[in-house]
Amino acid sequence: MRLKTVRALTAALAVLVAAPTIPATASEKDTGRIEYTLGDTAFKVPGFLNADRTAEAEIELTGVVRHPRHFTGRRPVVMLAHGLWYSCAGETMGWPCPAGTAPTRSYLGYDYLAESLAEQGFVVVSVSVNGINAGELGQPADMARGALVNEHLEMLRDADAGRGPLARPLRVLRNRLDLTNVGLVGHSRGGRGVVWQAADIHAGDLPRGVRLRAVVPIAPADYYAPDAESPENLKYRITRIPFAVLAGDCDGGAAMNHRTFARNAAGHNLVPFHEVDLAGANHNFFNSEWAYDNDSGCAPEDTWTEREQQDVTVRYISSFLRLHMLGDTSAEQLVVNGFPGVEVTTHRPIG
């Protein structure tokens, strides 16, 4: 662990993250929040089974939207997906939760990021993934995660046109969404899921009219492939969409997982991508609903606080999305070179 770097960052954070990379206008800072649900059993993915592998898993269609209150034209859309955590209160698994037991709300754990992005003009949707977490694991779960986020995107597309089950709850967003300008952000197993969803080989699964412009897997869970030439790699290979894979140096064994995704894309990428090392970040502090479990693999003096980690996360991801979704070239230097406590390795396009 780079102790001096961590201490220097701690002293400098107030200066570094006091404002977004590009200041938002006064009107953009006035944001709205909408929660919606169609129920805990509203969705199924063909071929994705429950944990007992006895039937197709029942999955919720639940999310929370952060949006600017004052719109200028259509706004880009960012989808957030959480990772594997307990699906029900009391640190228990199963879905739907038993009567009298509340579902966990992991999808609320990225509100610090969603609010900041909404202040900068993005519409941000964080989706609940409890039903998938309670089902089978491995590649079937990645397939289901991609299908779930695509289902939310399809409902957003319909709501934008005044149709479908979200037309009424999201009526403020009608004719305001630019679904040709979508970013994906996922954490842990959710990070692996958004890589699956954005992989070249799965481009045809996107809803009609949706185009992905940027992908950010945060501390993604590793995937298994026997060797570099195995066909499994194609299911996680992104070559045409800019992506930045973030990982914390205090994230135990997961700290190196981003190397797998980088190796898989390197030498094939037609656009740049970035490996981003966060000096004092652990795994759980990325999600405020999980932060009670400090899983840092570093000594306390080498670990960022929850607030420090989230501030750094906001700064880098905001800059990355501004560059690739808003065309804000002033963010490029930070995206490519990082800042104190954040080390970036940039892979330039081939050719």
Side-chain angles (χ1 to χ4, degrees), residues 2 121 132 135 139 145 189 214 242 266 280 308:
R2 300 185 291 275
I132 293 175
Q139 287 192 10
R145 286 174 178 276
R189 302 275 177 129
E308 289 168 346

Side-chain angles (χ1 to χ4, degrees), residues 9 13-14 34 52 73 80 136 143 155 157 169 178 187 194 201 216 224 244 286 341 345:
L9 175 65
L13 269 173
I34 306 168
D52 296 332
L80 303 180
E136 58 183 327
M143 177 269 294
M155 291 192 298
R157 182 197 64 198
D178 182 1
H187 174 214
V194 298
I201 200 171
V216 184
Y224 173 74
F286 288 114
T345 301

